[in-house]
Amino acid sequence: MGSGSHSDDAHPGGDIGAGPAGLLLSRLLQLQGIDTVVLENRSREYVEARIRAGILEEHTVQTLVDAGVGDRLQREGLPHDGIYLQYPGVRHHLDFPDLCGRRVWVYGQTEVTRDLITAQLDDGPPLLFGVSDVSPEDVDGDAPRIRFTDADGNPQVLECDAIAGTDGFHGVSRPVVTAGTPGRLWERTYPYAWLGILADVAPSSEELVYAWHPDGFALLSMRSPAVSRLYVQVDPTEKIADWPDERIWEALGTRLGVDGGALQAGPVTEKSILPMRSFVSAPMRRGRLFLAGDAAHIVPPTGAKGLNLAVADVTLLADALVRLLKKHQTDLVDSYSDRALARVWRCTHFSWWMTSMLHRSGDDFDAELQLSQLRRVCRSEAAARELAENYTGLPIDR
Ligand SMILES: Cc1cc2nc3c(=O)[nH]c(=O)nc-3n(C[C@H](O)[C@H](O)[C@H](O)COP(=O)(O)OP(=O)(O)OC[C@H]3O[C@@H](n4cnc5c(N)ncnc54)[C@H](O)[C@@H]3O)c2cc1C
């Protein structure tokens, strides 16, 4: 996590972690006159180069625009009105505006992060990269603090009114919450992973293609009109070294190919293997330490929910902290964890459902169940609408 903030009559708030959750929370609080300090243990270059999510729900786009960090997104982001679902012999388009009146946007998480960092460094509160030994302390009282070592090696203490644990799955905040509150963890590890590539080639489809194939799942996605993002399902024990570019393109061509629509290959610029996991930690609060984003929950990427959930969390958390720090009312911080977790579980279910429907595992019986579900979504408007509503993002319960 990596932010701290302070209000008029007190100390700043501190965010631990400069991912999308920590940076956006800091921005939302700054716009409400609450100071924050964001602490990030990596360098700016490292954070800005990380390739991750790329699908933004409407509420995410609106939140970024309202926060004054949506100019480039509105210029360069690609609005998408649907997705294709594919299985042998069928490529079916789901039209989101027709089904639910909403759409999604393709704009890389890398770009979202760059826009937020630029805004923060231009006119925002402090954002400290390269810190270490970050430790949230005294979180059960009204005056928590964060001890850390700055990039020059000097020990520092940040006195706060509240601390946001936005430091992702491997951060230091969640262990502090779970050590001090009765709570629960839920975890599901899926028996497959995604091998993802970025390639300098125009996308071979105007919309994303989610493909079920006897060899395994594949996804055709994009980052811009000239850059494709593609994934193939692999075994989690696979090594990237065993997947030269030719092998990846062959697998993609087999799984995504349709009559009359060959997949265009191009130079691969990034390659990685992403494990598939569902994880939820409750509650998302201990005293004045609040978890948001991947620090509290992980979803498999099939439903494109991770980044959007992080944004939904900090939308709720910003409202709650403004109420606490400016009006001294605790109702929204007291209900924050339950309200955030309700959305987390909805997205966890949707991500699990998409993942289970599209990835090959198990035997032929499982395959027939998956194909039956896919046919149902493609033929029933009610089933398609359920997918569209969840994919484009349900309204946030503020
Ligand atoms: C490898 C990977 C690939 C992904 N790919 C996809 C994808 O293809 N599609 C998709 O939809 N979603 C994807 N996701 C999910 C999505 O990127 C996340 O849900 C999203 O990044 C959550 O944002 P966050 O701010 O909560 O956490 P993060 O983005 O993880 O940010 C946390 C920040 O905290 C910092 N930090 C950690 N520990 C400390 C510490 N002790 N002190 C200070 N700072 C600390 C980290 O360096 C990081 O900058 C991926 C996630 C990962 C990890």
Side-chain angles (χ1 to χ4, degrees):
M1 120 182 160
S3 77
S5 65
H6 73 183
S7 56
D8 309 345
D9 55 349
H11 304 105
D15 293 344
I16 305 172
L23 291 165
L24 180 60
L25 178 65
S26 174
R27 179 84 190 168
L28 295 174
L29 293 176
Q30 181 204 354
L31 293 172
Q32 296 291 329
I34 294 172
D35 293 341
T36 64
V37 177
V38 180
L39 305 176
E40 167 61 45
N41 63 356
R42 301 286 195 161
S43 68
R44 177 179 182 180
E45 295 69 34
Y46 181 92
V47 171
E48 288 192 342
R50 254 183 328 218
I51 306 295
R52 290 184 171 179
I55 305 291
L56 307 187
E57 297 173 0
E58 270 196 10
H59 83 79
T60 298
V61 172
Q62 197 56 52
T63 305
L64 293 167
V65 170
D66 291 348
V69 285
D71 288 355
R72 201 159 65 91
L73 159 59
Q74 285 177 305
R75 274 198 319 274
E76 298 175 17
L78 306 174
H80 275 233
D81 284 345
I83 58 169
Y84 288 99
L85 285 182
Q86 181 172 316
Y87 49 95
V90 174
R91 180 179 279 191
H92 178 83
H93 189 244
L94 298 181
D95 187 307
F96 291 159
D98 264 7
L99 288 163
C100 69
R102 293 194 292 272
R103 53 168 49 165
V104 292
W105 292 67
V106 170
Y107 190 66
Q109 178 172 334
T110 314
E111 309 310 318
V112 173
T113 306
R114 282 184 191 152
D115 294 345
L116 285 162
I117 288 176
T118 303
Q120 182 109 4
L121 294 179
D122 277 357
D123 64 355
L127 162 54
L128 309 182
F129 288 103
V131 305
S132 53
D133 308 321
V134 178
S135 173
E137 296 179 358
D138 297 332
V139 299
D140 294 320
D142 289 349
R145 67 183 60 141
I146 305 173
R147 281 187 198 281
F148 65 99
T149 303
D150 68 23
D152 297 324
N154 302 312
Q156 303 281 356
V157 180
L158 181 65
E159 309 279 351
C160 307
D161 287 322
I163 302 174
T166 51
D167 46 355
F169 185 68
H170 299 289
V172 294
S173 302
R174 190 179 63 251
V176 175
V177 171
T178 53
T181 46
R184 209 170 151 193
L185 303 176
W186 295 262
E187 185 161 21
R188 165 81 42 99
T189 303
Y190 299 89
Y192 28 75
W194 278 10
L195 190 163
I197 60 166
L198 270 183
D200 282 340
V201 60
S204 297
S205 161
E206 76 282 12
E207 303 280 24
L208 278 78
V209 182
Y210 287 79
W212 185 100
H213 188 275
D215 291 356
F217 171 72
L219 171 60
L220 187 167
S221 176
M222 62 288 292
R223 286 293 181 268
S224 76
V227 177
S228 295
R229 178 85 166 134
L230 297 132
Y231 302 91
V232 280
Q233 174 187 342
V234 295
D235 190 273
T237 59
E238 290 277 354
K239 299 279 174 292
I240 204 84
D242 295 330
W243 284 82
D245 296 357
E246 309 73 54
R247 184 178 175 200
I248 298 173
W249 285 115
E250 195 183 321
L252 286 165
T254 303
R255 300 182 196 187
L256 285 163
V258 283
D259 289 347
L263 185 75
Q264 290 301 315
V268 174
T269 57
E270 199 265 349
K271 224 192 281 197
S272 56
I273 291 184
L274 175 66
M276 308 279 281
R277 175 194 288 134
S278 292
F279 176 89
V280 180
S281 177
M284 289 170 62
R285 172 196 185 186
R286 171 179 170 186
R288 292 278 181 124
L289 171 59
F290 301 88
L291 301 180
D294 277 19
H297 42 74
I298 299 282
V299 287
T302 327
K305 286 287 159 257
L307 170 59
N308 293 295
L309 254 187
V311 171
D313 284 352
V314 299
T315 304
L316 294 175
L317 185 53
D319 288 350
L321 290 176
V322 168
R323 181 101 122 213
L324 175 72
L325 299 178
K326 293 182 90 171
K327 301 215 157 72
H328 307 287
Q329 291 174 3
T330 60
D331 54 338
L332 292 187
V333 287
D334 288 343
S335 62
Y336 164 70
S337 179
D338 286 346
R339 288 182 297 126
L341 283 165
R343 188 181 184 88
V344 168
W345 276 112
R346 175 87 298 280
C347 293
T348 299
H349 176 268
F350 176 67
S351 303
W352 164 84
W353 178 76
M354 285 281 283
T355 301
S356 309
M357 177 170 69
L358 287 162
H359 291 75
R360 285 289 280 121
S361 76
D363 54 19
D364 289 350
F365 180 81
D366 295 289
E368 290 304 327
L369 293 179
Q370 292 176 313
L371 289 166
S372 170
Q373 180 68 70
L374 278 163
R375 284 193 293 271
R376 176 77 186 151
V377 175
C378 294
R379 291 174 189 170
S380 151
E381 193 174 321
R385 182 173 299 115
E386 180 65 11
L387 187 155
E389 286 184 349
N390 281 278
Y391 193 95
T392 57
L394 297 165
I396 298 180
D397 178 19
R398 294 175 85 172

